Amino acid sequence: MEFLAERGRELGTAVESDLVAYRRSRVELQDVPVGGTVWDREASVINTLLDWMVGQGLRRTSPLRAVGSTNPLSSGMSRDMDIRHLTLGQFLFFRDVGMGGQTLGGEVDRAFRGQAPTRSRAAADLAVTSGMRPQEWSTVLLPELAVGMRRPGEGAEFDLQACAKYKKHRVAYVPPDALTSVDRFLLIERPEMAEGMVRTLERRHRDLFVVVDIDYARRRLRGRWQGRDREFAWSAMAPKLRRITVHEGAAGLEPLAVFIGHGSLMLTSSSWDRVRHQAWDRMSAVRGDERAPQLPTKRWRFHDLRHTYALRLLDFLMRRAAERERAEKRAGMASLAEHLAFNPLLIVSRRLGHASPAVTYEYLRYLEDPMAYVAAAFEQWAASDGDTYAEIAVRALEARKGAGHAAQG
């Protein structure tokens, strides 16, 4: 606003040249120019505000004239997906040392100050083996994982929609090993957490959705909320409703969400961020130890576990597809339907709930480590017979001296 005031304008009277000049001042002229990513976020806010003003009648039209799909305020930067993933060693380091309170040697660290390490480990296992987004796995309900209903060694499938991005429907699958990790949390830590909030929930029960019946066959919950009898399909329950959903447990009312906190309902995204930041600090403290895997410069996000799931699954399916193609060449031509049914990109796209397989295609570039190829390609250029550059230089210098003495003789 100060920038516009200096030009004798305000947001209601600004023209396109004013806003373009403001963009230039931010990304080029000020003492510390902002980067393209930061500016594009600011530009998005400005565009949204201008559209709102037009909608409210505070401006007749937006001052920005879009040419095709190009906005005059855009930085012009082209950005790929920010795909970051973990190796197996990095994931175990994140899960066991960062989240789970273990030492690098695998023992329990008595100095660990984190809360509920079993819960944190279960969350990491659930995220990396299901490919769910943080808003999806952190809001999962006990019935969706068939807690108390499934047999040992069984996985769990349930529908995602209200908690999914763009509310795009897909089926989530959680493998048995991840469920074993969740069951461990439900057995060891969760009962104490639930018992600590019984009285609070009893006092607040009028504001809560109190479930009286869980229909596993129809995947619906029936109960009372806001003074009325209500019934919801699991997949239709948004995060806010899931947060206030409770049922009668062993000690009284308790949340129906899997992941709860000490004296709280379902953990919020900010609570999970605190857990993740503490885990990163803990890993950073021992990153110099030779037993610790390499850490990236930016701390990991929970969404990176989804990327890890996608890459590992895609790599596995690509190898399976190559084996299938070799077998089909020996047996004869496969049909187009079979090629589509077993296409790795389409399978992973469906599991992730991507709007288009083109989004999943971005992962192909991360299946191999290009830097490893660079290192291998120039391995023989770096040194001779395992010598260092210093040793090669010394040997070359000695050869020159010898040649000089021979010439003088």
Side-chain angles (χ1 to χ4, degrees):
M1 298 301 288
E2 292 179 4
F3 179 86
L4 291 176
E6 290 175 359
R7 297 170 67 93
R9 303 275 193 181
E10 58 184 21
L11 204 53
T13 59
V15 296
E16 183 177 291
S17 59
D18 296 321
L19 299 175
V20 171
Y22 175 65
R23 180 196 67 187
R24 185 164 181 261
S25 73
R26 289 285 285 150
V27 302
E28 297 179 25
L29 303 179
Q30 66 182 30
D31 293 339
V32 183
V34 300
T37 302
V38 173
W39 169 251
D40 280 345
R41 284 199 294 264
E42 289 188 20
S44 177
V45 173
I46 293 172
N47 282 310
T48 301
L49 180 57
L50 290 172
D51 290 341
W52 177 83
M53 293 180 72
V54 172
Q56 295 295 312
L58 301 176
R59 288 191 63 111
R60 288 182 58 192
T61 60
S62 171
L64 299 173
R65 296 168 297 171
V67 180
S69 60
T70 303
N71 187 292
L73 292 188
S74 171
S75 67
M77 289 181 60
S78 176
R79 285 182 291 276
D80 295 326
M81 287 177 60
D82 184 16
I83 297 177
R84 300 169 58 202
H85 59 99
L86 286 67
T87 64
L88 175 59
Q90 288 174 328
F91 170 70
L92 295 177
F93 184 49
F94 172 67
R95 184 196 68 181
D96 298 339
V97 176
M99 304 278 279
Q102 292 185 7
T103 65
L104 285 168
E107 299 86 14
V108 175
D109 188 349
R110 302 298 178 186
F112 180 61
R113 293 292 180 267
Q115 292 185 337
T118 308
R119 179 190 63 195
S120 298
R121 284 168 54 95
D125 284 332
L126 182 61
V128 80
T129 60
S130 68
M132 287 190 280
R133 298 179 177 91
Q135 179 172 270
E136 296 164 350
W137 61 256
S138 67
T139 60
V140 71
L141 302 176
L142 295 171
E144 290 174 320
L145 299 187
V147 173
M149 301 294 292
R150 56 183 152 76
R151 295 174 296 184
E154 287 184 340
E157 277 190 1
F158 56 95
D159 296 306
L160 281 171
Q161 187 154 13
C163 294
K165 190 175 183 179
Y166 307 129
K167 294 182 170 46
K168 178 178 171 60
H169 174 268
R170 77 177 191 277
V171 176
Y173 172 73
V174 183
D177 286 346
L179 291 174
T180 299
S181 184
V182 172
D183 289 342
R184 193 175 299 118
F185 159 62
L186 299 179
L187 178 66
I188 297 174
E189 293 175 349
R190 195 178 184 280
E192 182 182 354
M193 296 177 181
E195 188 175 349
M197 66 179 76
V198 170
R199 292 184 180 178
T200 301
L201 296 182
E202 291 289 353
R203 288 195 298 268
R204 293 183 52 197
H205 77 278
R206 294 183 181 276
D207 302 321
L208 305 173
F209 175 39
V210 182
V211 174
V212 296
D213 180 62
I214 302 174
D215 188 336
Y216 286 92
R218 297 171 58 227
R219 301 189 176 193
R220 302 181 73 86
L221 298 177
R222 185 171 59 82
R224 194 162 182 81
W225 181 36
Q226 298 176 334
R228 296 170 51 195
D229 291 334
R230 306 293 292 270
E231 185 174 317
F232 297 98
W234 303 347
S235 60
M237 297 177 65
K240 286 186 178 180
L241 176 57
R242 288 167 176 257
R243 180 171 171 75
I244 61 170
T245 299
V246 299
H247 73 129
E248 193 72 32
L253 287 182
E254 67 173 66
L256 201 62
V258 171
F259 296 114
I260 61 176
H262 291 277
S264 67
L265 293 167
M266 182 179 74
L267 257 64
T268 61
S269 59
S270 60
S271 297
W272 280 115
D273 279 340
R274 281 195 297 272
V275 172
R276 179 173 59 87
H277 294 170
Q278 290 168 0
W280 181 261
D281 292 341
R282 182 172 163 73
M283 291 184 292
S284 298
V286 295
R287 68 189 308 164
D289 193 298
E290 61 181 11
R291 295 171 295 176
Q294 182 178 359
L295 290 180
T297 53
K298 294 197 306 184
R299 63 185 167 210
W300 284 314
R301 310 157 299 182
F302 281 122
H303 199 80
D304 296 334
L305 299 181
R306 173 176 163 86
H307 292 160
T308 303
Y309 165 88
L311 283 165
R312 297 285 71 79
L313 181 58
L314 186 57
D315 179 65
F316 174 79
L317 292 173
M318 294 280 280
R319 295 177 190 276
R320 288 285 299 273
E323 294 172 1
R324 187 178 293 108
E325 281 192 15
R326 286 194 292 269
E328 287 168 353
K329 284 180 180 179
R330 292 192 295 267
M333 284 275 291
S335 68
L336 176 61
E338 288 175 317
H339 277 299
L340 291 175
F342 297 112
N343 184 291
L345 278 172
L346 295 180
I347 294 173
V348 174
S349 182
R350 287 194 296 269
R351 300 309 306 178
L352 294 176
H354 283 162
S356 166
V359 179
T360 318
Y361 185 83
E362 292 284 334
Y363 286 97
L364 287 175
R365 294 185 297 136
Y366 296 85
L367 285 177
E368 301 284 356
D369 180 7
M371 293 304 104
Y373 290 138
V374 172
F378 290 93
E379 184 177 7
Q380 299 303 317
W381 293 50
S384 174
D385 296 328
D387 292 342
T388 65
Y389 287 119
E391 290 167 338
I392 294 171
V394 169
R395 196 160 55 242
L397 184 60
E398 290 174 345
R400 286 179 185 174
K401 287 180 178 179
H405 291 316
Q408 291 175 4

